[in-house]
């Protein structure tokens, strides 16, 4: 169970920085509209993540996917993650610092914005598909309490993501005058590096096994 929590923390830390437009929408919303608007948007993001996780977990029960297919999907996913990481490293950020923070916040509107941005973002679905692939490899058939461990891993990811999104929204609002486009670009670079590391870890788990041993065959 500890392994599931540790894996969840690791993926939560990575995924909180790799949602692309959602990540910068949270920063922009918190800077331009305030902490509570950013928090509402973060809640919408988490709700859409829960929909994705539920759909993938329950949907996967109706499909028999071979180990070879999982490996191929994992390799393709790692290549895509690596490519997105390179893109993030060179991506520039643009934030409007001149708008004043409104006194009234449309919480439902920002919640819906966060939900819609994720639910119709194929990249987010790809991220969760890669994660469930890794979870299925790490907690393969035959492991004691397999489903419980996978559930704990995903619950940990969601908690870490929302917690870090709340922290980002809080500090983006409090430090709005000090957060320069250059600083946001540095965050972008960190996200890119995290993506590249995640892709390499995934390849090692599935293929090379320099650090992580191959999963036992059930």
């Amino acid at each position: 169970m500890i392994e599931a929590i540790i894996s969840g923390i690791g993926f939560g830390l990575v995924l909180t920085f790799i949602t692309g437009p959602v990540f910068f929408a949270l920063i922009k919303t918190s800077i331009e509209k305030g902490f509570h608007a950013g928090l509402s948007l973060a809640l919408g993001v988490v709700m859409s993540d829960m929909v994705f996780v539920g759909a993938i977990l329950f949907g996967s029960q109706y499909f028999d996917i071979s180990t070879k297919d999982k490996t191929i999907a994992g390799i393709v996913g790692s290549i895509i993650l690596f490519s997105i990481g390179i893109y993030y490293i060179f991506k520039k950020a643009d934030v409007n610092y001149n708008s004043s923070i409104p006194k009234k916040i449309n919480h439902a509107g920002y919640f819906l914005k966060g939900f819609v941005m994720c639910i119709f973002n194929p990249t987010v679905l790809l991220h969760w598909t890669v994660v469930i692939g890794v979870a299925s490899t790490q907690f393969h058939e035959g492991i004691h309490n397999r489903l419980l461990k996978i559930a704990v891993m995903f619950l940990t990811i969601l908690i870490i993501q929302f917690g870090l999104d709340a922290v980002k929204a809080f500090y983006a609002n409090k430090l709005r005058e000090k957060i320069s486009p250059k600083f946001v670009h540095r965050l972008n670079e960190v996200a890119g590096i995290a993506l590249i590391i995640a892709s390499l870890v995934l390849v090692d788990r599935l293929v090379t096994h320099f650090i992580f041993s191959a999963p036992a065959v059930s």
Side-chain angles (χ1 to χ4, degrees):
M1 202 62 67
I2 297 297
E3 184 182 2
I5 295 175
I6 293 175
S7 296
I9 293 174
F11 273 106
L13 291 173
V14 172
L15 289 175
T16 192
F17 288 106
I18 65 174
T19 48
V22 177
F23 171 76
F24 292 102
L26 178 63
I27 298 297
K28 285 170 64 69
T29 300
S30 301
I31 290 176
E32 298 171 2
K33 305 300 180 182
F35 167 69
H36 291 97
L39 192 63
S40 296
L41 188 141
L43 282 171
V45 171
V46 169
M47 182 59 66
S48 68
D49 286 338
M50 291 175 66
V51 171
F52 275 130
V53 170
I56 294 172
L57 285 178
F58 289 106
S60 62
Q61 298 179 6
Y62 300 98
F63 299 93
D64 185 16
I65 303 175
S66 66
T67 301
K68 181 180 179 181
D69 291 336
K70 289 180 181 179
T71 301
I72 293 174
I75 293 173
V76 172
S78 66
I79 292 173
I80 295 174
L81 290 179
F82 186 89
S83 302
I84 297 175
I86 296 296
Y87 170 75
Y88 280 173
I89 289 176
F90 295 100
K91 178 182 175 64
K92 293 185 178 180
D94 180 28
V95 180
N96 178 17
Y97 298 90
N98 297 323
S99 59
S100 57
I101 297 177
K103 293 182 179 180
K104 277 192 173 183
I105 300 297
N106 182 5
H107 295 284
Y110 285 108
F111 175 89
L112 185 62
K113 178 181 178 181
F115 182 84
V116 170
M117 284 185 67
C118 280
I119 210 71
F120 292 108
N121 187 347
T123 304
V124 177
L125 176 59
L126 170 65
H127 294 160
W128 284 114
T129 303
V130 171
V131 173
I132 191 61
V134 174
S136 298
T137 302
Q138 184 175 358
F139 305 109
H140 53 84
E141 294 287 348
I143 286 185
H144 183 62
N145 289 331
R146 174 177 181 265
L147 294 179
L148 178 60
K149 290 179 179 178
I150 291 178
V152 169
M153 174 180 168
F154 275 89
L155 179 61
T156 303
I157 292 174
L158 293 174
I159 292 173
I160 293 295
Q161 276 195 275
F162 177 70
L164 289 178
D165 282 347
V167 171
K168 285 184 290 185
F170 177 79
Y171 282 104
N173 172 241
K174 290 296 183 182
L175 306 175
R176 68 191 305 264
E177 302 298 334
K178 297 181 180 180
I179 297 179
S180 64
K182 183 177 180 179
F183 177 77
V184 177
H185 178 63
R186 289 289 179 265
L187 291 179
N188 224 4
E189 291 178 327
V190 171
I193 293 172
L195 263 176
I196 292 172
I197 293 174
S199 68
L200 296 177
V201 168
L202 180 57
V203 169
D204 190 58
R205 281 187 178 276
L206 295 174
V207 182
T208 58
H209 310 304
F210 289 125
I211 298 177
F212 298 98
S213 59
V217 179
S218 57

